[in-house]
Amino acid sequence: MSEPSVQNVIIAGMSKTVTNYDYAMSELEALVEANNMHAALRIDQGLEKPNPATYFGKGKVVEIKEMGEANDLDIMIVNADLTPSQVRNLETETGLQIIDRTGLILEIFGNRARSKEAKLQVKIAQLQYQLPRLRTSMANRLDQQAGAAAGGGGGYTNRGAGETQIELNRRTIQDRISHAKHELKELNKDEEVRRAQRDKADLPNVALVGYTNAGKSTTMNGLVRLFGKGEDKQVFEKDMLFATLDTSIRQLTFPDNKQLLLSDTVGFVSNLPHNLINAFRSTLSEAANADLLIQVIDYSDPHYKEMMDTTETTLKAIGVHDVPMIYAYNKADLTEASYPNVQDDQLIYAAKDEKSLQLLTKIIKEKVFKNYVTTTLLIPFSDGEVVAYLNDHANILKTDYLADGTQLKVELNAVDAQRYAHYEVTPA
């Protein structure tokens, strides 16, 4: 199947109302590209505050109309969250389809959702965004996507049928939101059962978090390649914003038999729509329940500090507090920095470099296995199954065969240390 053609669009913003405006616009341009569009034209305005009716000033609106006609462009993406009336007025006065920042991100998520859970989460956010916008072209566009994401038809909006029809559409959409929330709740119950089973296994949980396209999936794939089970699949990775929306979990087993669960979460972006944060709260709960977070940072991006701020803000928004964190500065191979290099909880590395991954592994293990204990056990020959279990699940440091059994100097997690405490002896 051939790739859909890229659509040329205008991007526009208000420079005096946004901190780090050039960074915000470059991020908007990246989001546009992630939506299979190209920012063919950029329009900036320096008003101190937006026009309540059209966001941009009257003269700028005329300029936008003329620039759109001169360049044969039909869509403008605005780096702000617009009110429904601002969208309507801008569309009327410019003849362009207007998409605001939240609408753009929702479109990207709608196109990228693959699992049933992700599709439902995005559908809820899209429909909540759509409710006050039933008369705008954006509502039609998102309504079609929300219907498609759920496997059903869209097109509930009918702007020509009068106010009664608008009210009917609003009730219909509210019903669809309620139905989607119910479906998602049932899926979350299943996920809670799976999480309880993982917790019962008593394996540490490590979660990769960070800005979208920082290299989380590449990092995970590298670690899975080194320490995953043979049947473990690689997660999808691509050099684009929001390449994947689904949380992936893989089990890693190290040469010393220590094991952990590694999860790759959806990436963050500045001013992520609140509806999406709420919708993806269950997915991002892997981060909230983790024993250790690895914040993956694109060290090659000049705005990486702003990206770190975005990550911290989003983690707080989803209720992640007091979880230990490693700061992993990725893509060092695209900078002049030497790598791999570690200082305290900060690692400079390249996700495709094996030495970097080995050093990252060392840091992870020091954090999550610090409560392991080293002890000596004397196990009678009649309890050979215990020796077999420990050989498979523990780090055997020394083995001695004595007259009354097998003596093991072994490194154990707290659960196994308590379970086999009655075998503990003081070595001669």
Side-chain angles (χ1 to χ4, degrees), residues 59 101 149 153 158 278 315 335:
R101 181 186 169 84
N158 183 347
N278 290 332
L315 287 172
T335 74

Side-chain angles (χ1 to χ4, degrees), residues 100-161:
D100 67 5
R101 181 186 169 84
T102 293
L104 175 63
I105 294 174
L106 289 172
E107 282 202 18
I108 295 169
F109 273 52
N111 292 331
R112 298 285 166 75
R114 292 292 176 266
S115 69
K116 185 173 183 181
E117 183 181 22
K119 288 179 180 179
L120 284 169
Q121 289 167 330
V122 174
K123 178 185 177 184
I124 291 167
Q126 287 176 327
L127 292 173
Q128 289 173 332
Y129 174 83
Q130 181 182 335
L131 266 176
R133 294 169 172 81
L134 289 175
R135 294 184 179 183
T136 71
S137 60
M138 192 65 224
N140 288 324
R141 187 180 179 100
L142 282 173
D143 189 49
Q144 292 166 3
Q145 287 190 349
Y156 281 89
T157 303
N158 183 347
R159 289 184 287 167

Side-chain angles (χ1 to χ4, degrees), residues 67-324:
M67 294 292 284
E69 291 173 349
N71 292 275
D72 196 26
L73 299 173
D74 301 317
I75 298 174
M76 182 169 72
I77 315 288
V78 180
N79 187 47
D81 289 334
L82 303 179
T83 65
S85 62
Q86 286 173 332
V87 173
R88 286 196 297 271
N89 293 337
L90 273 174
E91 289 186 333
T92 298
E93 297 191 29
T94 65
L96 299 169
Q97 179 182 343
I98 305 300
I99 304 174
D100 67 5
R101 181 186 169 84
T102 293
L104 175 63
I105 294 174
L106 289 172
E107 282 202 18
I108 295 169
F109 273 52
N111 292 331
R112 298 285 166 75
R114 292 292 176 266
S115 69
K116 185 173 183 181
E117 183 181 22
K119 288 179 180 179
L120 284 169
Q121 289 167 330
V122 174
K123 178 185 177 184
I124 291 167
Q126 287 176 327
L127 292 173
Q128 289 173 332
Y129 174 83
Q130 181 182 335
L131 266 176
R133 294 169 172 81
L134 289 175
R135 294 184 179 183
T136 71
S137 60
M138 192 65 224
N140 288 324
R141 187 180 179 100
L142 282 173
D143 189 49
Q144 292 166 3
Q145 287 190 349
Y156 281 89
T157 303
N158 183 347
R159 289 184 287 167
E163 191 64 28
T164 302
Q165 186 62 43
I166 289 293
E167 292 173 354
L168 176 61
N169 289 340
R170 183 173 289 111
R171 286 196 298 272
T172 301
I173 290 173
Q174 288 170 335
D175 288 342
R176 290 171 65 187
I177 291 172
S178 297
H179 180 70
K181 283 184 174 180
H182 177 74
E183 284 189 80
L184 186 59
K185 186 176 181 180
E186 293 302 310
L187 283 179
N188 287 341
K189 287 181 181 178
D190 294 338
E191 177 53 35
E192 287 172 6
V193 172
R194 288 192 291 271
R195 183 174 291 116
Q197 291 172 339
R198 293 197 295 270
D199 291 343
K200 191 175 180 180
D202 200 46
L203 295 181
N205 192 340
V206 177
L208 297 164
V209 298
Y211 206 81
T212 181
N213 206 33
K216 296 184 302 298
S217 296
T218 305
T219 300
M220 183 169 193
N221 282 338
L223 293 172
V224 169
R225 186 177 64 252
L226 292 174
F227 305 112
K229 295 181 179 180
E231 67 272 16
D232 275 345
K233 295 180 180 179
Q234 300 278 288
V235 298
F236 180 72
E237 60 179 91
K238 190 172 182 180
D239 185 19
M240 66 164 64
L241 302 190
F242 302 115
T244 179
L245 302 182
D246 296 305
T247 295
S248 301
I249 301 173
R250 300 289 187 269
Q251 181 173 315
L252 303 185
T253 302
F254 303 109
D256 59 6
N257 284 330
K258 292 186 177 74
Q259 297 178 322
L260 59 79
L261 296 175
L262 181 69
S263 57
D264 176 24
T265 61
V266 62
F268 305 146
V269 70
S270 62
N271 301 314
L272 192 65
H274 289 294
N275 284 348
L276 275 178
I277 291 176
N278 290 332
F280 277 79
R281 192 176 297 272
S282 61
T283 299
L284 293 168
S285 63
E286 291 299 333
N289 295 319
D291 298 293
L292 175 68
L293 298 178
I294 302 172
Q295 183 180 162
V296 180
I297 302 146
D298 182 354
Y299 198 38
S300 69
D301 193 300
H303 301 287
Y304 73 88
K305 289 184 179 179
E306 288 94 332
M307 295 175 176
M308 292 175 69
D309 290 340
T310 292
T311 298
E312 301 283 354
T313 299
T314 308
L315 287 172
K316 288 179 181 177
I318 62 173
V320 178
H321 304 286
D322 302 324
V323 180

